[in-house]
Structure formats: C-alpha cells, structure tokens
Amino acid sequence: MYSALVLAIAAGCASALTLQKRAVDFYAPTAGGGSELDNAGDGYGEPLNIIISGLSSPAVLTDDGFMNFAHALGYSEECLDLHAGGAQSANLGDGNGWVDQLIEIREDYGSTAVGTCLESLVGGNHFRVWRQNGSLADSGALFLAVSKEEDVFESHTIVPDGYDIGRNLLAQAAVGTTSYGGVTYSTTARNVTGLIAPGSDGVNHGIAQDGIVTVLTVEIVS
C-alpha cells in the first residue's frame, strides 16, 4: 500500500512538472543547427511563421489543449482525418533533428465536424505544427507553418503572398479574447525579425515572404 501511494504521488508530481510554465518564449532553431523553413521536399521549405510561445499557459501547449485553442480560432482537424500528400518535417534546433509534423489543421468555416471538407474544396487557411522539446532547446513552444491555399482545382497550391497572408489571418483571429469548449483565452502578439531572411530563397513554390515571424502568447483566463 505504501509503495502504491509513493507511485501515485510520483505520477502526480511528474504530471505537474509537465504542465509547469516554461522559462522562455522559444529558442531560435538556427542557433541549434535547425531551420526556420520546414522541409517540403525537393530542397524547398515553408516558413515557420507563427510561434506559440513557451510562456503561454502550459495546457495550451499540449496536443489536446492546442487543438481546443485552434477550434476557438475557427480551425479543425483535416476532413475525415484524411490527408493527401506526405507529411512535412522540421528541424527546430532542439536536438531532435528533422521530425514530421504533429498535425495539419485547416480552416473549418464554422463547423468543427465537416468544415475542413469545405476548405479542401474551396481553399483557405491551413497550418502544420511542430513542438520544440528536445534536450538542447526545450522551450515547449509550438512552431507553425501557416499559409493560405487555393481550391482543389488549383491542386491546393499556395495563393500569391500566401505565407504572409496566412500568418496574418491566423494572428488576427487569435489576438484578443476567444473561447471554445468552456475555455476562454487571451492572446497577445508580437512580430519578430531575424529568424528567417525575407525573400523567396529556398521557399516552396518560389513565393516570397517578408521575414516576419509572429509570436503568440496564449493565456487561459477561465
């Protein structure tokens, strides 16, 4: 009985440590040999143009917690959990090397159940997610590659200026007070430069981006 009690306390302590607020917003991927571009194949990548700060409420940075926050912004899992094309990878300079995306999330047009099926048809905003949690740079921050894409008839290519547009649309939806599933969020944003050079060098589809990464700090207020 004593052993069981010790194990229960230890498990509770581990859970509490997992949800402790981190000490930094994020670590620059390039500082650890990573990149602010993911790997989209053929030697090109998409900019990791939004970061969910490690200083956000810890629950937001979990898989389920972030998905709930995404719902609050009007985004959901892919249509019927189906994905066309391969997963992209990213190296966040945290010692984990190149790892596949955690999830791909799409604009849901007001319906968490089937709205992303509409996005797959008519196009819209979408993003991929990675977590910076390796032993060399364990910020817990989430790095997002956000873009606005064309409809299915244009093979879901990125719209002109689609990386900057996608980033701005997601940030605008997030800033201020949002809520979903009984959870209310307060989000602030700041723009950071110097993580990625502006322009189209190495960028997928040859679409130039402005070199700005938006950092969102998300607090659960109720």
Side-chain angles (χ1 to χ4, degrees):
M1 182 175 179
Y2 177 78
S3 298
L5 178 60
V6 170
L7 289 173
I9 292 172
C13 290
S15 176
L17 287 173
T18 300
L19 292 179
Q20 279 186 333
K21 182 167 283 192
R22 303 298 181 117
V24 296
D25 276 318
F26 62 91
Y27 295 101
T30 52
S35 175
E36 200 70 25
L37 287 174
D38 72 11
N39 180 7
D42 298 326
Y44 295 95
E46 301 191 350
L48 304 174
N49 49 12
I50 281 190
I51 299 172
I52 308 298
S53 168
L55 299 179
S56 299
S57 293
V60 173
L61 300 174
T62 67
D63 290 354
D64 290 343
F66 180 70
M67 194 68 247
N68 195 78
F69 176 63
H71 286 322
L73 308 187
Y75 293 79
S76 297
E77 298 92 335
E78 291 198 279
C79 177
L80 305 177
D81 289 326
L82 298 176
H83 174 66
Q88 296 184 10
S89 61
N91 183 345
L92 301 182
D94 58 1
N96 286 336
W98 291 91
V99 297
D100 285 348
Q101 65 200 42
L102 295 171
I103 192 171
E104 187 165 350
I105 299 175
R106 298 181 181 278
E107 190 174 357
D108 66 21
Y109 292 100
S111 171
T112 58
V114 297
T116 56
C117 297
L118 178 61
E119 193 278 343
S120 293
L121 289 174
V122 304
N125 240 29
H126 78 306
F127 58 90
R128 307 166 194 269
V129 185
W130 291 266
R131 179 177 289 110
Q132 189 177 56
N133 63 353
S135 60
L136 300 183
D138 186 9
S139 69
L142 300 175
F143 284 66
L144 280 54
V146 191
S147 58
K148 184 174 182 180
E149 62 182 4
E150 304 275 11
D151 60 32
V152 66
F153 303 106
E154 297 293 335
S155 302
H156 289 161
T157 56
I158 309 301
V159 304
D161 201 26
Y163 297 118
D164 295 346
I165 291 173
R167 176 201 63 211
N168 293 342
L169 287 173
L170 183 59
Q172 289 165 10
V175 169
T177 301
T178 55
S179 63
Y180 185 85
V183 182
T184 300
Y185 307 94
S186 177
T187 303
T188 58
R190 78 179 197 279
N191 290 333
V192 174
T193 58
L195 295 176
I196 183 172
S200 60
D201 188 29
V203 179
N204 204 25
H205 306 296
I207 296 173
Q209 45 78 40
D210 60 14
I212 293 173
V213 176
T214 298
V215 180
L216 300 178
T217 303
V218 186
E219 293 284 347
I220 294 176
V221 295
S222 65

